[in-house]
Amino acid sequence: MTGMRGLSVFISDIRNCQNKEAERLRVDKELGNIRTCFKNEKVLTPYKKKKYVWKMLYIHMLGYDVDFGHMEAVSLISAPKYPEKQVGYIVTSCLLNENNDFLKLAINTVRNDIIGRNETFQCLALTLVGNIGGRDFSESLAPDVQKLLISSSCRPLVRKKAALCLLRLFRKNPDAVNVDGWADRMAQLLDERDIGVLTSSTSLLVALVSNNHEAYSSCLPKCVKILERLSRNQDVPQEYTYYGIPSPWLQVKAMRALQYFPTIEDPSTRKALFEVLQRILMGTDVVKNVNKNNASHAVLFEALSLVMHLDAEKEMMSQCVALLGKFISVREPNIRYLGLENMTRMLMITDVQDIIKKHQSQIITSLKDPDISIRRRALDLLYGMCDVSNAKDIVEELLQYLSTAEFSMREELSLKAAILAEKFAPDLSWYVDVILQLIDKAGDFVSDDIWFRVVQFVTNNEDLQPYAASKAREYLDKIAIHETMVKVSAYILGEYGHLLARQPGCSASELFNILHEKLPTVSTPTIPILLSTYAKLLMHTQPPDPELQKKIWAVFKKYESCIDVEIQQRAVEYFELSKKGAAFMDVLAEMPKFPERQSSLIKKAEDVEDTADQSAIKLRAQQQPSNALVLAEPQPVNGAPSPLKVPIVSGSTQDPDSVARSLSQPNGTIGNIDPQIPSPDLLSDLLGPLAIEAAPEAVSTDQHGPIGAEGVPEEVDGSAIVPVEEQTNSTELIGNIAERFHALCLKDSGVLYEDSHVQIGIKAEWRGHHGRLVLFMGNKNTSPLTSVQALILPPAHLKLDLSPVPDTIPPRAQVQSPLEVMNIRPSRDVAVLDFSYKFGTNMVNAKLRIPATLNKFLQPLQLTSEEFFPQWRALSGPPLKLQEVVRGVRPLALPEMANLFNSFHVTVCPGLDPNPNNLVASTTFYSESTGAMLCLARIETDPADRTQLRMTVGSGDPSLTFELKEFIKEQLITIPMGSRAIVPAAGSGPAQPVAQPPSPATLADDPGALLAGLL
Amino acid sequence: MIKAVMMMNTQGKPRLAKFYDYTPVEKQQELIRGVFSVLCSRPENVSNFLEIDSLFGPDSRLVYKHYATLYFVLVFDGSENELAMLDLIQVLVETLDKCFSNVCELDIVFNYSKMHAVLDEIVFGGQVLETSSAEVMKAVEEISKLEAASNSISLVPKSVSGWRGR
């Protein structure tokens, strides 16, 4: 190893090479030399072989292919003497990969070295297998390596290598290692005294439990013991104490292993662990010595992740957040970096968000950190923590940062700013401001999607149009503006410039002049937009301004012979049309509103971040309901905006001749064009450049905020479907499926199902009788889930369409599967998702109810008394209006009950009923058969006995009335059966001291009539 | 799991590179160059972390330390603790320091084989094998002794075989 002169000489030669060419020559010469020597084996001494092999490795590192000597290298392994054997092993593990055929030839020799008595040979062999051993090795060597690992006669040096070698074999073939009794052996191994062996064994354990934690549950208390031993510094030799800290690596590994167990059930183990964690959290200070700092914080950050994983008591959690808050402002950059990263991770735990917000200003400061790594973390965190309350501050900071950020970050930054602005804008004019600033500051990094989106918003919101136009006009005064700015301002001014006509500098001819100044600076794709704008300006000038007309015609004339077909066509068409007077006005009328679409930005962001599973975007998508901007009233897309609006501004796909022909018809009214030109195509063509990915709308129709868990009725539904557990001895369910389902009935995003391998999240948007759900299926493992199947078992009243789910979910990946829902008629039945996958050899199957419940098709609606009573009276009685006395009601105070009703979109109308113990509520139900249908409800409670009430429900459809009544009842009572005593309303029965209005004088059969009488 | 260990000087010349997943030689060079181009633009007194998803794929992390004329780099996945990896670099450097008493770049250049021996005792198949530099030293010295012993023996057969060759 020392004093290999030939190698040193060669390295010096390489170092003396003046350039890459000289180096290549020297390397080629050496390779030639080595090749000749290897051919002439007789003169090749072991020393020479070793020297050449090291030269080969050095050459390999320099980046040259060494494609010979593989066979020789492998054959050296079987040499009887150490030096040759060593060389054989080293070169083989450096140059060959596990699929190399030569390697298979060596399995037997390697095995002989492993089972032999020579420890040095054992180490060499284990190192080879641990580095490049493949499946073949796994099958033939795993038992031998296991024997070495647990052997009491072996030195620690060998055993720790055996542990890691076994880890490699396990990765190649888990079954070879997971044999009967191995879990017990593993638990025994964790009692090991030698820290080196213990560290390797713990690494092995991490791999084993990440695959199947149940089998290794006996190792859990052992890990806690190890942590106790280290944290008390018991029996830790000096050489394993690193800057005063007992082996930080082992502490970290043991805590990592614990994070693969879903929970810790045994109370004494849990208590012991929490004591250790508490000591770590409290006892770590920032000190001067960098290395000591790093080591102690390695342990501390691992402890933080473990605390987050264990979902510890609130107190400990807030302690963690407080620590993180401290970290993000310390001087030590590594700790700042990890503090920010862990805060982003912590956002997943919902009730710490408010505490994190307290650190907002510090996080914003980190955006100006000299270290780009830290700035990126800060950006991720800001993006993750943004919501309606702080969007303005955060987005404005991002905009400010944009002008100084390095180029590599600008694209991400502008995309994130645009998304946040869209999702959380407190008002639309602010949104327009943000996007225009974005274009102004970083035009090169603003994709077309972003300006398309702003145009959509402006088009769909009339209030916004004058504002947007005046803003666009302001930017035109700047000396140099980005081409994207030219596009967006030209478009907006063309459409809405006339709204500014009375302001100085905004007359049509002034707008034309300032826009036309930009024309020489723009590229070909922008010119057609400018031409359209000119045409629109011309059209809006009433009475016509001959001066302006002359100028614009001159422009059209000029482009009539343009080589670009799109420009030429527009020029010709606009020129001809502008002579047509009234027809011109029709053709160039204002653009129709856009159908609502999913923001492609958000979609794009999801795509971009698809791979990084910690990405803030993904976290947000899963954790938070979309607060996306609500577009203007959903415009009933009648699909037929006057055909006259469309044909002329056609795209290049249009045959110019046909237009020219029709235009040249002598009396050709424009209407004649219609039959020749399929207008829907044109429409889409016209919208083409503005259309943003046709994926359905992500903008939520405001389903109210998420409803806290308190609002979830404790419904005990016998039909709760449980996963088929018998088959899944290695799969542990996390959380209660029924509870998750009930929570999701009242909110639109959250986790539907989770076990130790997979998490299924759901996000839903509802509009009328349509719903769009997205299932997020995430593989939590480091190995893929296979045979993934998701089938929908729909009830009769729902039409469901689930996009195909891939057969395999790669490790740590998430797949998304949209599910379209259509409600055909009222029913309380639910759809079931039959989900199954294979993990290792285990088949796991779960049948999950999909939260597409009746209430999702309700739209909140508040009525005044003038609206309510006529409707209420019009519903005369059964079957349209049903009444029932309900007993066994979960006792609720009236305001709580009102909240409950509001939470499933049956809006309580306060003040309608003069009796303060009663509630009156209304809602609109959507289904294909009923259309939008008004539903009314009245609840009369008895202040003396909160467990019973009288309920009256009415609607225009008998089945809807019945289903809604039953649905409300289910929400109100604790036990669905038992008290289904349906007592006809009137006070005939003796057992009815219930919800009688307090004033007996006004007792009437129909509470509606009663109500009406009172008012 | 540790994906790669790299040492390179401040000019970007690789001094040691070991990849624990099979990586073809061209790819190795590309990665080394990619890492260097980011490293060399980093100022002093910033964090030791780099985001390198673009080079090594998602969920990969990189820590590095800069000593005199050398960068020590570890690339690993999400299953490792970042700061613990940084500590491991420190262990590696302290061990080298003991091996060569005040290690400098030239030691590393000319003791290429010894570097491998040290590294192999610290990182094994992408996993942390040993964290005590005393233990690492012991193991490396054992190997040196074995080699020295066999070298002196091999001198004899060498001359003998040389004789016979003639």
Side-chain angles (χ1 to χ4, degrees):
Chain A
M1 180 174 295
T2 40
M4 240 182 291
R5 226 179 68 83
L7 178 61
S8 297
V9 170
F10 174 62
I11 294 175
S12 308
D13 283 358
I14 292 287
R15 279 166 60 81
N16 290 333
C17 288
Q18 295 294 322
N19 51 41
K20 199 77 194 164
E21 197 41 46
E23 181 185 291
R24 172 170 284 284
L25 284 172
R26 180 68 186 85
V27 165
D28 283 346
K29 183 181 155 203
E30 194 63 39
L31 284 177
N33 184 21
I34 298 171
R35 215 180 295 237
T36 334
C37 288
F38 268 115
K39 271 189 199 135
N40 193 358
E41 246 192 274
K42 274 188 193 135
V43 297
L44 206 56
T45 62
Y47 175 78
K48 271 194 177 166
K49 272 187 192 164
K50 190 169 81 177
K51 185 178 75 184
Y52 289 139
V53 158
W54 280 111
K55 283 183 182 173
M56 276 159 63
L57 289 184
Y58 195 82
I59 290 170
H60 185 250
M61 181 192 69
L62 291 176
Y64 299 91
D65 235 340
V66 180
D67 54 359
F68 66 95
H70 294 179
M71 181 66 187
E72 289 80 356
V74 172
S75 64
L76 277 177
I77 291 179
S78 51
K81 294 225 174 80
Y82 180 78
E84 290 182 284
K85 196 182 267 297
Q86 183 205 23
V87 166
Y89 273 118
I90 291 173
V91 75
T92 305
S93 65
C94 283
L95 295 184
L96 270 57
N97 73 48
E98 65 174 81
N99 300 320
N100 194 300
D101 286 332
F102 290 141
L103 204 55
K104 292 184 183 138
L105 303 175
I107 293 185
N108 256 331
T109 325
V110 173
R111 178 158 188 267
N112 285 335
D113 282 340
I114 286 180
I115 59 178
R117 289 286 167 82
N118 186 326
E119 289 194 336
T120 332
F121 290 3
Q122 284 175 335
C123 284
L124 286 175
L126 290 171
T127 310
L128 176 91
V129 179
N131 278 308
I132 57 167
R135 213 184 148 87
D136 304 325
F137 280 80
S138 194
E139 271 145 23
S140 40
L141 296 180
D144 300 319
V145 178
Q146 279 172 323
K147 243 177 252 161
L148 274 188
L149 174 55
I150 57 178
S151 147
S152 54
S153 57
C154 261
R155 281 203 299 160
L157 181 69
V158 180
R159 292 178 58 212
K160 65 192 183 192
K161 286 182 179 162
L164 295 181
C165 181
L166 197 58
L167 198 163
R168 166 96 188 184
L169 298 181
F170 171 75
R171 291 241 163 93
K172 294 297 156 194
N173 180 9
D175 295 338
V177 177
N178 272 331
V179 290
D180 274 354
W182 182 247
D184 297 335
R185 300 284 193 176
M186 248 348 265
Q188 283 165 22
L189 269 174
L190 298 177
D191 292 328
E192 172 67 41
R193 273 198 65 227
D194 184 275
I195 304 272
V197 177
L198 201 48
T199 308
S200 306
S201 305
T202 317
S203 295
L204 172 60
L205 178 70
V206 170
L208 294 173
V209 291
S210 70
N211 173 265
N212 178 358
H213 64 86
E214 275 171 352
Y216 293 92
S217 57
S218 58
C219 297
L220 191 153
K222 298 289 174 85
C223 290
V224 177
K225 281 236 166 62
I226 296 174
L227 285 173
E228 281 185 289
R229 172 182 164 192
L230 292 174
S231 75
R232 299 207 180 105
N233 205 350
Q234 285 167 340
D235 190 23
V236 181
Q238 187 53 40
E239 68 260 30
Y240 283 102
T241 308
Y242 177 85
Y243 289 91
I245 296 147
S247 184
W249 296 274
L250 181 52
Q251 295 197 45
V252 163
K253 276 286 171 208
M255 287 193 267
R256 192 52 70 99
L258 288 172
Q259 287 170 55
Y260 285 100
F261 293 100
T263 50
I264 298 178
E265 264 145 32
D266 176 49
S268 65
T269 312
R270 194 175 165 94
K271 185 162 166 276
L273 177 63
F274 274 86
E275 273 171 26
V276 172
L277 291 174
Q278 188 71 38
R279 203 171 311 150
I280 297 172
L281 293 185
M282 297 303 292
T284 311
D285 288 319
V286 180
V287 293
K288 260 209 158 148
N289 184 315
V290 179
N291 293 322
K292 187 184 166 90
N293 241 348
N294 279 343
S296 63
H297 284 81
V299 175
L300 179 54
F301 276 109
E302 203 60 50
L304 279 172
S305 327
L306 183 53
V307 170
M308 283 190 246
H309 168 75
L310 291 174
D311 210 3
E313 289 77 17
K314 195 133 199 225
E315 202 180 312
M316 208 164 193
M317 281 300 202
S318 44
Q319 207 179 333
C320 289
V321 185
L323 271 176
L324 290 175
K326 199 178 91 186
F327 292 157
I328 60 172
S329 51
V330 298
R331 268 190 64 228
E332 186 57 53
N334 288 337
I335 295 174
R336 279 208 303 279
Y337 175 93
L338 291 171
L340 291 167
E341 187 181 29
N342 280 279
M343 255 194 194
T344 311
R345 220 178 271 173
M346 224 175 200
L347 282 174
M348 291 184 83
I349 301 163
T350 39
D351 48 348
V352 297
Q353 276 166 349
D354 286 338
I355 323 180
I356 291 179
K357 272 191 209 160
K358 286 187 196 145
H359 301 287
Q360 190 171 315
S361 62
Q362 184 57 44
I363 300 167
I364 286 173
T365 315
S366 306
L367 210 50
K368 296 164 187 124
D369 198 280
D371 185 352
I372 185 173
S373 304
I374 292 180
R375 292 196 297 269
R376 282 186 194 278
R377 289 282 132 253
L379 176 60
D380 267 2
L381 177 52
L382 284 174
Y383 182 77
M385 68 190 280
C386 192
D387 62 19
V388 184
S389 73
N390 54 14
K392 238 175 160 157
D393 294 340
I394 290 182
V395 171
E396 268 150 32
E397 281 298 335
L398 295 185
L399 282 176
Q400 217 178 52
Y401 174 44
L402 195 56
S403 359
T404 51
E406 45 272 272
F407 287 105
S408 59
M409 267 181 86
R410 287 194 184 181
E411 183 163 10
E412 190 188 354
L413 195 58
S414 43
L415 182 63
K416 284 187 167 162
I419 291 171
L420 292 179
E422 178 180 334
K423 271 181 144 175
F424 301 120
D427 58 81
L428 289 170
S429 53
W430 177 79
Y431 171 73
V432 171
D433 281 348
V434 168
I435 301 300
L436 291 181
Q437 278 188 57
L438 209 58
I439 297 172
D440 185 40
K441 288 186 169 172
D444 283 342
F445 301 96
V446 174
S447 60
D448 281 348
D449 294 345
I450 295 179
W451 82 264
F452 293 166
R453 191 70 179 158
V454 82
V455 164
Q456 273 190 25
F457 273 110
V458 173
T459 309
N460 288 6
N461 290 277
E462 271 163 39
D463 299 347
L464 203 56
Q465 290 160 359
Y467 181 80
S470 74
K471 274 283 160 186
R473 173 68 187 81
E474 274 175 33
Y475 276 104
L476 286 179
D477 281 335
K478 288 193 142 194
I479 297 165
I481 59 173
H482 193 271
E483 187 165 341
T484 305
M485 187 63 91
V486 177
K487 289 183 192 168
V488 70
S489 29
Y491 188 95
I492 291 179
L493 289 173
E495 290 293 323
Y496 311 112
H498 60 281
L499 301 175
L500 304 175
R502 285 199 206 113
Q503 291 175 25
C506 297
S507 71
S509 68
E510 280 164 311
L511 290 180
F512 168 76
N513 287 338
I514 195 159
L515 281 168
H516 197 54
E517 269 173 32
K518 315 289 178 198
L519 191 134
T521 65
V522 300
S523 60
T524 315
T526 307
I527 297 176
I529 298 177
L530 284 171
L531 293 184
S532 301
T533 302
Y534 298 165
K536 293 231 171 187
L537 286 175
L538 196 56
M539 182 271 290
H540 281 300
T541 329
Q542 293 304 338
D545 172 353
E547 189 78 2
L548 180 64
Q549 196 172 46
K550 223 174 89 192
K551 284 192 209 163
I552 292 179
W553 280 358
V555 178
F556 290 159
K557 272 275 161 226
K558 177 181 163 204
Y559 283 105
E560 261 178 11
S561 52
C562 179
I563 191 149
D564 183 277
V565 125
E566 179 67 36
I567 298 175
Q568 181 194 33
Q569 187 179 350
R570 288 202 194 196
V572 172
E573 289 171 358
Y574 291 145
F575 182 69
E576 290 297 329
L577 267 172
S578 59
K579 293 180 184 157
K580 301 245 179 250
F584 184 47
M585 305 268 286
D586 275 345
V587 171
L588 289 175
E590 201 167 281
M591 291 295 264
K593 287 184 177 173
F594 290 90
E596 292 179 45
R597 298 166 197 258
Q598 180 184 10
S599 163
S600 71
L601 291 183
I602 293 170
K603 198 167 165 287
K604 189 170 165 188
E606 283 165 0
D607 290 347
V608 166
E609 307 268 331
D610 223 12
T611 42
D613 61 346
Q614 288 290 357
S615 87
I617 293 178
K618 195 128 275 173
L619 292 186
R620 164 171 304 288
Q622 288 165 359
Q623 297 297 319
Q624 291 196 338
S626 161
N627 289 319
L629 276 187
V630 180
L631 283 175
E633 295 310 308
Q635 159 104 343
V637 185
N638 45 21
S642 153
L644 291 178
K645 281 184 185 173
V646 194
I648 293 312
V649 201
S650 61
S652 46
T653 51
Q654 168 77 24
D655 172 11
D657 289 346
S658 71
V659 178
R661 249 197 330 274
S662 51
L663 286 172
S664 56
Q665 286 171 356
N667 331 324
T669 58
I670 297 295
N672 286 353
I673 299 170
D674 200 16
Q676 294 171 349
I677 299 160
S679 78
D681 281 347
L682 286 171
L683 179 62
S684 64
D685 206 25
L686 178 65
L687 295 180
L690 290 165
I692 301 183
E693 302 283 329
E697 183 50 43
V699 176
S700 89
T701 27
D702 187 17
Q703 298 276 0
H704 290 256
I707 285 118
E710 316 85 62
V712 182
E714 287 170 20
E715 184 182 353
V716 185
D717 193 333
S719 67
I721 294 153
V722 257
V724 187
E725 291 215 316
E726 310 76 65
Q727 306 169 358
T728 67
N729 46 8
S730 71
T731 309
E732 191 156 310
L733 189 63
I734 299 172
N736 178 319
I737 294 183
E739 267 171 37
R740 291 188 189 281
F741 170 76
H742 289 308
L744 283 170
C745 287
L746 297 184
K747 58 181 193 176
D748 285 330
S749 66
V751 176
L752 181 66
Y753 172 81
E754 180 166 17
D755 64 25
S756 40
H757 307 308
V758 69
Q759 185 188 53
I760 305 179
I762 204 163
K763 202 175 159 213
E765 286 140 17
W766 305 94
R767 173 166 295 114
H769 65 286
H770 287 284
R772 181 182 161 86
L773 288 81
V774 183
L775 298 174
F776 299 86
M777 282 158 280
N779 179 357
K780 296 158 70 178
N781 290 305
T782 44
S783 47
L785 298 179
T786 53
S787 310
V788 177
Q789 268 202 333
L791 294 173
I792 295 286
L793 317 171
H797 73 288
L798 291 179
K799 221 171 105 185
L800 294 130
D801 186 9
L802 179 68
S803 311
V805 173
D807 186 57
T808 304
I809 306 180
R812 302 231 166 244
Q814 190 188 54
V815 298
Q816 300 181 8
S817 223
L819 169 64
E820 304 287 348
V821 182
M822 195 168 84
N823 188 21
I824 296 168
R825 62 179 168 274
S827 164
R828 283 167 301 132
D829 292 346
V830 288
V832 169
L833 172 70
D834 186 349
F835 179 77
S836 59
Y837 65 90
K838 212 160 150 187
F839 180 76
T841 52
N842 289 319
M843 195 71 194
V844 182
N845 174 262
K847 297 205 169 46
L848 306 163
R849 284 179 293 169
I850 294 182
T853 42
L854 183 80
N855 61 312
K856 303 286 186 184
F857 302 104
L858 297 176
Q859 285 267 306
L861 171 75
Q862 188 142 32
L863 294 183
T864 61
S865 54
E866 292 84 348
E867 294 158 345
F868 188 90
F869 291 113
Q871 299 281 351
W872 185 257
R873 257 171 269 154
L875 301 167
S876 50
L880 292 183
K881 184 147 78 181
L882 297 171
Q883 190 169 68
E884 178 175 337
V885 172
V886 186
R887 275 159 237 241
V889 173
R890 193 152 47 104
L892 283 175
L894 223 53
E896 274 174 60
M897 190 180 289
N899 283 340
L900 174 63
F901 274 69
N902 286 332
S903 73
F904 50 84
H905 297 168
V906 179
T907 320
V908 173
C909 311
L912 254 63
D913 194 318
N915 183 338
N917 290 311
N918 296 350
L919 289 178
V920 170
S922 59
T923 186
T924 316
F925 174 80
Y926 290 86
S927 75
E928 200 181 46
S929 67
T930 60
M933 185 160 278
L934 181 71
C935 308
L936 305 172
R938 180 161 184 253
I939 308 289
E940 296 154 280
T941 66
D942 179 6
D945 182 359
R946 292 235 163 260
T947 63
Q948 47 188 353
L949 49 77
R950 185 162 67 176
M951 172 165 84
T952 316
V953 176
S955 79
D957 180 74
S959 66
L960 173 58
T961 305
F962 175 76
E963 293 292 338
L964 183 63
K965 185 197 68 167
E966 291 302 304
F967 177 80
I968 295 176
K969 196 166 74 184
E970 281 170 7
Q971 305 298 316
L972 288 173
I973 51 190
T974 334
I975 304 149
M977 264 320 295
S979 58
R980 204 167 260 220
I982 302 175
V983 183
S988 52
Q992 207 232 14
V994 203
Q996 291 185 1
S999 147
T1002 49
L1003 243 184
D1005 280 11
D1006 184 354
L1010 174 151
L1011 236 155
L1014 282 173
L1015 290 164
Chain B
M1 177 182 171
I2 298 172
K3 295 181 175 176
V5 180
M6 302 176 199
M7 290 179 209
M8 59 189 90
N9 72 1
T10 40
Q11 266 102 57
K13 283 229 179 336
R15 292 307 182 204
L16 184 76
K18 191 146 182 165
F19 290 78
Y20 293 96
D21 285 327
Y22 177 73
T23 314
V25 68
E26 307 80 40
K27 181 77 185 162
Q28 292 190 6
Q29 292 299 308
E30 186 191 319
L31 292 173
I32 293 171
R33 271 197 303 273
V35 168
F36 176 73
S37 69
V38 190
L39 281 183
C40 65
S41 61
R42 301 220 2 124
E44 289 295 315
N45 299 322
V46 291
S47 72
N48 298 93
F49 305 119
L50 269 191
E51 322 241 323
I52 36 113
D53 288 6
S54 54
L55 284 175
F56 288 89
D59 197 32
S60 48
R61 289 130 197 265
L62 182 152
V63 299
Y64 72 99
K65 270 193 160 187
H66 182 185
Y67 294 92
T69 58
L70 284 175
Y71 289 115
F72 288 73
V73 179
L74 279 185
V75 183
F76 50 93
D77 65 14
S79 68
E80 303 286 343
N81 178 303
E82 289 99 331
L83 286 174
M85 288 294 111
L86 205 53
D87 292 338
L88 199 66
I89 295 182
Q90 183 67 19
V91 169
L92 173 62
V93 174
E94 284 179 15
T95 312
L96 294 177
D97 216 34
K98 284 178 195 159
C99 273
F100 302 112
S101 54
N102 254 333
V103 64
C104 68
E105 192 186 342
L106 280 185
D107 291 324
I108 289 172
V109 171
F110 284 105
N111 293 282
Y112 185 65
S113 57
K114 190 156 190 167
M115 294 295 300
H116 268 275
V118 171
L119 183 61
D120 282 348
E121 290 301 320
I122 296 179
V123 182
F124 178 107
Q127 298 291 331
V128 180
L129 176 67
E130 184 53 74
T131 57
S132 147
S133 60
E135 289 290 320
V136 176
M137 288 293 291
K138 251 191 260 170
V140 172
E141 272 159 22
E142 242 175 67
I143 298 173
S144 297
K145 266 183 214 154
L146 264 173
E147 288 191 325
S150 54
N151 271 354
S152 58
I153 300 163
S154 75
L155 283 176
V156 183
K158 181 185 169 191
S159 53
V160 169
S161 70
W163 277 101
R164 283 192 187 150
R166 278 177 207 166

